[in-house]
Amino acid sequence: MVKFGVGAYLPQKRSSFATAFRRLTLTIDATTSSFKILVLSGTKEPVHLVFSPISGGLPPKRKIPNVKHTVLVSSCKGGVGKSTVAVNLAVSLSLLPQRLRVGILDLDVFGPSIPTLMGLKGIDEPELTQSGALIPITNHGIPTMSMAYLLPSQPSSNSAPATNEDTPVVWRGLMVQKAVQQLLFQTDWSAGGASSGLDVLVVDLPPGTGDIPLSVGQLVDVDSTVIVTTPDSLALSDVRRGVAMFRKLNLPLTGLIINNAYFVCANCTSKHYLFGDPNDENSAFSEGVRAMGMGGDKILGQLRSDKGVPYALSGGAKEESGPGVMWRTAMQDISERVFEAMKERS
């Protein structure tokens, strides 16, 4: 809830009605797009005029077309491996015994990473259905859609061919909202009617609590929300704000993934913690996690550092011992927890 106070300086020669209004208080609730205006009078008997919320308000939340379940992956802070986790979560969900049909939607409009992580960098623009919907681009058996596929190419400074890798998205809020709604509701996850659609769509949200996460929370019927963080207090301070926003939007919070918690060297099986052991109950990080109600069984898993590729499909994830087993076990546990959370909302 945001409240603004505005002074009204009106000429004294105007009508008594006009001179009565001296101060205006505007209260805006961004989560419901409503506002109230309270006008206070400068006379002996204050005049209180309250304008109720805009009629109609937001449309009801709805399912994404041709998608049964929607899973949000958020980090609230950039640079913690959110997109890497989103890709590997999608792959791990598709490898569950249920053989789910899983796709990835990259809503990080200003910094799309999914094409790079999925080996689709520099791909041609997606095709359109007869109705004008975007057809996802598939690799590793996972259909994807990203703003990066839609950006125009720019000529290179040297003789290299033109690409869109350096094309910035310099847009204001209204254009971003339009792009997000198109990616959400005008992408054909049935591949032009070739399939029945997706069982799960993993949505890679941008960092922070801005327009895009807010729009998704207001417009989409979400089944699970996973938050990614690194085990340090600075990242956790942003996570706390994100958790508060998701709760205000009544989104289901499945839990917290602690990424880059440790690494395992090639010559041993010991965990080397980069930010201190997040399991230390007396650390500032653990205290912060408990304070926002995300401790205990809300911690879905701790992932070690990797090379930023779909590790679930690499040879390392198939190792019978060492780091690969630790990573595979953690990611499998996380995907199973997310799947159970989705079933509970079915």
Side-chain angles (χ1 to χ4, degrees):
M1 189 78 71
V2 183
K3 182 177 288 187
F4 301 94
V6 182
Y9 300 96
L10 302 173
Q12 295 297 324
K13 292 183 179 180
R14 292 191 179 184
S15 67
S16 58
F17 181 79
T19 56
F21 302 111
R22 290 299 182 189
R23 197 179 77 203
L24 177 149
T25 301
L26 175 63
T27 303
I28 302 175
D29 189 342
T31 62
T32 59
S33 296
S34 63
F35 68 92
K36 293 183 180 180
I37 301 177
L38 175 63
V39 183
L40 303 181
S41 169
T43 63
K44 286 185 178 181
E45 298 295 330
V47 178
H48 299 271
L49 299 178
V50 179
F51 294 80
S52 299
I54 302 174
S55 61
L58 290 169
K61 294 183 180 181
R62 55 178 169 141
K63 292 281 188 182
I64 295 176
N66 299 306
V67 173
K68 293 180 181 178
H69 301 284
T70 300
V71 177
L72 305 183
V73 179
S74 173
S75 66
C76 310
K77 187 173 184 64
V80 298
K82 165 186 57 65
S83 297
T84 302
V85 170
V87 164
N88 285 284
L89 175 60
V91 173
S92 297
L93 283 167
S94 70
L95 295 176
L96 289 176
Q98 292 80 7
R99 294 300 178 187
L100 304 171
R101 297 182 300 275
V102 185
I104 305 174
L105 175 58
D106 187 357
L107 283 188
D108 196 345
V109 172
F110 298 103
S113 302
I114 297 302
T116 300
L117 293 169
M118 291 295 291
L120 293 169
K121 188 167 60 173
I123 202 74
D124 292 335
E125 288 187 10
E127 297 180 355
L128 301 177
T129 64
Q130 291 184 349
S131 62
L134 297 164
I135 297 179
I137 299 175
T138 301
N139 198 18
H140 306 302
I142 304 291
T144 68
M145 182 49 62
S146 172
M147 188 68 209
Y149 302 149
L150 308 175
L151 297 177
S153 297
Q154 288 188 333
S156 177
S157 57
N158 49 37
S159 58
T163 67
N164 63 3
E165 292 182 30
D166 297 327
T167 304
V169 177
V170 188
W171 288 350
R172 293 188 183 275
L174 188 59
M175 295 182 68
V176 174
Q177 297 287 342
K178 189 71 175 177
V180 168
Q181 292 193 33
Q182 182 178 8
L183 292 170
L184 282 171
F185 300 114
Q186 296 180 29
T187 299
D188 187 359
W189 295 104
S190 70
S195 72
S196 58
L198 301 177
D199 295 307
V200 185
L201 178 64
V202 177
V203 180
D204 182 22
L205 293 176
T209 56
D211 286 348
I212 296 176
L214 180 60
S215 294
V216 174
Q218 290 174 329
L219 299 174
V220 178
D221 187 4
V222 176
D223 298 283
S224 172
T225 304
V226 173
I227 299 179
V228 182
T229 184
T230 50
D232 63 282
S233 299
L234 185 60
L236 194 65
S237 63
D238 288 332
V239 169
R240 188 179 296 112
R241 299 184 188 97
V243 168
M245 182 191 74
F246 291 133
R247 284 177 173 157
K248 191 172 182 63
L249 294 170
N250 294 318
L251 296 182
L253 284 169
T254 303
L256 192 69
I257 295 177
I258 304 174
N259 193 32
N260 291 341
Y262 59 87
F263 72 92
V264 180
C265 65
N267 300 319
C268 68
T269 57
S270 299
K271 297 179 180 180
H272 302 273
Y273 290 97
L274 301 175
F275 299 92
D277 188 351
N279 297 312
D280 181 3
E281 295 294 328
N282 297 320
S283 68
F285 176 81
S286 294
E287 291 177 357
V289 169
R290 291 195 299 271
M292 64 181 180
M294 296 296 287
D297 62 358
K298 280 291 186 180
I299 297 180
L300 299 181
Q302 300 176 20
L303 301 181
R304 70 182 187 90
S305 305
D306 56 54
K307 298 180 181 179
V309 297
Y311 191 79
L313 296 176
S314 69
K318 300 176 183 178
E319 296 174 359
E320 297 300 327
S321 62
V325 172
M326 296 181 185
W327 190 94
R328 184 174 68 246
T329 301
M331 206 68 230
Q332 183 177 350
D333 290 345
I334 292 170
S335 59
E336 289 175 352
R337 292 277 298 277
V338 171
F339 178 69
E340 290 300 322
M342 291 187 303
K343 285 203 307 182
E344 290 177 2
R345 288 183 57 85
S346 297

